[in-house]
Structures are given as C-alpha cells and as structure tokens.
Amino acid sequence: MPERPTAEAVADLRDVLAGIGPVVVAFSGGADSAFLAWVAADVLGPQKARCATAVSASLAPEELDTCRSLASAWGLSWVAVATDELERTAYVANGRDRCAHCKASLMDALEPHARALDATVVLGVNLDDLGDRRPGQAAAAAGGARFPLVEARFTKAMVREASRSFGLVTWDKPAAACLASRIPYGVPVTVGALGSVQRAESALRALGLRQLRVRHHGDVARVEVDPAELELAFSHRGGAGERTTPR
C-alpha cells in the first residue's frame, strides 16, 4: 500500500498528541524520538512535553551530548534519567529478551516523571519497527507507553521527510541502537565491553564515518560500515584497527 501524504500524517500526529495530553518522551536523540519530541513540544508546549534521556553505560556519551544540545536548541523541557538495566541479572545475561528488560528499566525510571505531570510515556516507534521482533516494544506497551508515530501511521521515510520539512537537523541522522546490541546474545553485558565498543565507534566516527557498528567478539571486533563509506573506511585501515579493537 503506498504511503499517504506526510502532511496528512503530521496533522494526525498532532491530533494524537493533543488527545493523549501531557507526555514524557523517551528521547534518545535519534531521528524518530527527536521528531516526536519536537512535535510534542510544539503541540503541547514544553511544560506538558517533558523529554527524558535514559543514561547508562549502554548510551554513548556523544549521544547524551546530542540530546542535551538538541533540547537547548529547540527549547525542550529535558532531563537526563539514570536507568538501572545493568543491575538487572536478566539484562546482563543478554538473552534474546534483553531489550524487554531494558525497556522495563526505562519505564521504571520514567514513571516518577510521568506521575508528576500526570503524563503518558511515549516512544518514537514507527510502522517500520513493527515488522521486527522487538520485545522491548511489548515491555514498554505493557508498562503503559504509547507509540504516537504508529498511531499516526508514520514510516521511517515519512519521519525523515517531515523532519526535513521542519528544518530539524536530525532528519538524516543514521539509525543507532544501544551499545549492548553490539554484544552477541548469550555473552554477558558488562561495563567493560560496552566501554570498548563505545571507544572503538567514537574513534571511527572521528575518522569521518557516519553509519557504523563495531561488533564485540571478545578479542576480535567486526566493523560494519555503510557500503557508501567503504572506500573511506579502507583508506584508514593501516593502523586504525589496533586502536579501535575492543578488549
């Protein structure tokens, strides 16, 4: 089925958010959550649209800086919220339901903020996300979260198109998952492993790469880059690997 006009979806999103009332936006700084945060603040006003960034070892420091900068530039009501997923045995075990435990931790951390505003927690999930196995989505929904972009029938492409039309710098931001996603299932998630991945990816971004992943395999790292950036990546292969291989 062809996508409907993005302007129509934006109008529906505004109606959805107005109907929900006060919200706490889980704000990772990615294209989806940034767009949702911006529209929520525009519709409800900053005082009724609090944006909260979950902070733990699974969040790269650069991403936290991005959230802080965007909130300042856009006049958002923003708060950094510590989450405790690394204190949860089931999360550390890194089974295929890891994301469910992460989202449960997130919902627990956001609950006091939602209660203070009599607000609903909302996440930047879009229609394209529904096709994947996402236990985190189910856990968030079970905790009372809503997905306004899904309710307004936004695809990822529509989020980017609308973001660009509003002049949001996040319109073409590469997709990014939490650092724990770089560790194979069944291998315990540790602060050390997350830190290794973070340092490796930061070093590669400093070389000019944008879309990348560093997969942690003990003493070996597998670097994934966008095909369009392969030439740039290969141009730095002489010595960069020793600096960026997780340990």
Side-chain angles (χ1 to χ4, degrees), residues 90-164:
Y91 175 87
V92 172
N94 199 18
R96 292 189 176 274
D97 61 347
R98 180 195 66 235
C99 291
H101 303 293
C102 179
K103 285 298 186 289
S105 173
L106 173 66
M107 294 301 293
D108 287 348
L110 296 186
E111 194 276 334
H113 297 273
R115 186 174 65 249
L117 294 176
D118 192 20
T120 300
V121 174
V122 293
L123 274 63
V125 177
N126 66 63
L127 287 176
D128 293 335
D129 297 326
L130 300 182
D132 300 330
R133 181 183 181 277
R134 300 284 182 98
Q137 291 177 11
R146 287 178 62 174
F147 309 144
L149 297 178
V150 171
E151 295 180 40
R153 293 186 291 152
F154 265 89
T155 63
K156 184 74 169 189
M158 293 166 70
V159 167
R160 293 195 184 281
E161 180 184 346
S163 297
R164 188 176 190 179

Side-chain angles (χ1 to χ4, degrees), residues 31 34-35 158-171:
F35 173 65
M158 293 166 70
V159 167
R160 293 195 184 281
E161 180 184 346
S163 297
R164 188 176 190 179
S165 72
F166 290 135
L168 305 185
V169 296
T170 51
W171 77 269

Side-chain angles (χ1 to χ4, degrees), residues 28 53 59-72 78:
S28 68
T53 301
L59 178 72
E62 301 98 308
E63 295 299 323
L64 178 59
D65 291 341
T66 294
C67 291
R68 184 182 292 108
S69 296
L70 290 175
S72 176
W78 176 79

Side-chain angles (χ1 to χ4, degrees), residues 8-63:
E8 182 180 307
V10 170
D12 284 351
L13 178 61
R14 291 181 179 277
D15 289 343
V16 168
L17 289 166
I20 293 175
V23 296
V24 173
V25 183
F27 182 49
S28 68
D32 297 321
S33 71
F35 173 65
L36 180 59
W38 189 90
V39 177
D42 190 54
V43 171
L44 300 169
Q47 299 310 310
K48 292 186 178 180
R50 178 169 297 172
C51 302
T53 301
V55 180
S56 73
S58 64
L59 178 72
E62 301 98 308
E63 295 299 323

